[in-house]
Amino acid sequence: GRKGGHKGRARQYTSPEEIDAQLQAEKQKAREEEEQEEGGEGATGDPKKEKKSLDSDESDEDDEDYQQKRKGVEGLIDIENPNRVLQTTKKVTQLDLDGPKELSRREREEIEKQKAKERYMKMHLAGKTEQAKADLARLAIIRKQREEAARKKEEERKAKDEAAMAGKRLQSLSLNK
């Protein structure tokens, strides 16, 4: 065998059946407390239930009271943490589906990156970026070189043609003799 953990005890695991039994016991205890509270408030419990079903505003207040119930020591200590966000549930009628959807940071950055790329491509095609200017300068140099090479080839071809014509003339003159 293995020894227990560093705290000196062997581990004890709770079975799922025990966990379910504990949860059911807690729910039953909460129901009994609610029944005692309702019974202690007034002798006529049924009219209150009918009134709550008719008037939805009071049921909203009861939901808020239920959310404010705290477990353990939380009920005794008031926490004023400005960073703490209270979870509030919204009803379907309160949701604003038509309003603008807030994008996450990554989505915003991705959209900005795409827009910047499009702007750069427009500027590049217009020849206003440094890279486009360098490319255009290189193209101009290459065009000049090609024009010069084509001109030299043309001159060499003409020179060969003239030499060939001069050679033919000499042959024709020598043959005529």
Side-chain angles (χ1 to χ4, degrees):
R2 264 187 144 180
K3 294 184 179 180
H6 69 279
K7 295 188 177 180
R9 286 191 196 166
R11 292 185 180 173
Q12 293 181 346
Y13 298 101
T14 309
S15 68
E17 293 83 21
E18 291 177 20
I19 293 173
D20 290 338
Q22 288 175 355
L23 289 174
Q24 288 177 353
E26 288 177 6
K27 287 180 182 177
Q28 189 173 7
K29 186 177 178 183
R31 285 187 202 136
E32 290 174 359
E33 288 177 4
E34 288 179 10
E35 289 175 4
Q36 288 176 358
E37 288 176 7
E38 287 179 7
E41 288 177 2
T44 57
D46 293 333
K48 278 191 174 182
K49 289 181 183 176
E50 292 174 6
K51 186 177 178 185
K52 285 183 183 179
S53 64
L54 293 175
D55 194 18
S56 63
D57 293 340
E58 288 185 1
S59 64
D60 291 343
E61 292 173 6
D62 291 339
D63 291 341
E64 292 172 9
D65 292 341
Y66 180 72
Q67 288 178 351
Q68 290 178 353
K69 287 184 181 178
R70 297 177 182 166
K71 298 178 183 175
V73 189
E74 286 183 356
L76 303 174
I77 302 171
D78 282 336
I79 300 173
E80 293 194 21
N81 184 353
N83 297 327
R84 184 170 180 230
V85 178
L86 296 174
Q87 293 182 351
T88 57
T89 55
K90 290 186 177 181
K91 294 185 178 180
V92 177
T93 56
Q94 293 174 341
L95 291 177
D96 185 20
L97 299 175
D98 297 333
K101 181 183 173 189
E102 292 184 22
L103 300 174
S104 68
R105 179 184 56 86
R106 286 185 180 167
E107 291 172 338
R108 277 195 314 270
E109 288 176 357
E110 187 66 29
I111 291 171
E112 289 173 5
K113 188 187 275 187
Q114 288 176 355
K115 287 182 180 178
K117 193 172 184 179
E118 289 174 8
R119 280 195 306 269
Y120 180 79
M121 288 307 294
K122 285 181 184 177
M123 296 282 283
H124 187 74
L125 292 174
K128 295 181 180 179
T129 61
E130 304 254 341
Q131 188 177 4
K133 289 176 184 175
D135 289 346
L136 291 174
R138 264 198 314 269
L139 285 173
I141 292 170
I142 291 172
R143 280 188 190 133
K144 285 182 183 177
Q145 289 175 350
R146 288 181 181 169
E147 286 174 5
E148 289 175 13
R151 198 176 329 121
K152 285 181 183 177
K153 281 185 180 179
E154 186 68 29
E155 289 174 4
E156 288 177 7
R157 191 175 53 88
K158 284 182 182 179
K160 282 185 182 179
D161 287 346
E162 287 178 13
M165 290 297 278
K168 284 184 182 179
R169 282 183 197 159
L170 286 176
Q171 279 183 352
S172 64
L173 285 176
S174 64
L175 290 175
N176 286 339
K177 282 188 178 177

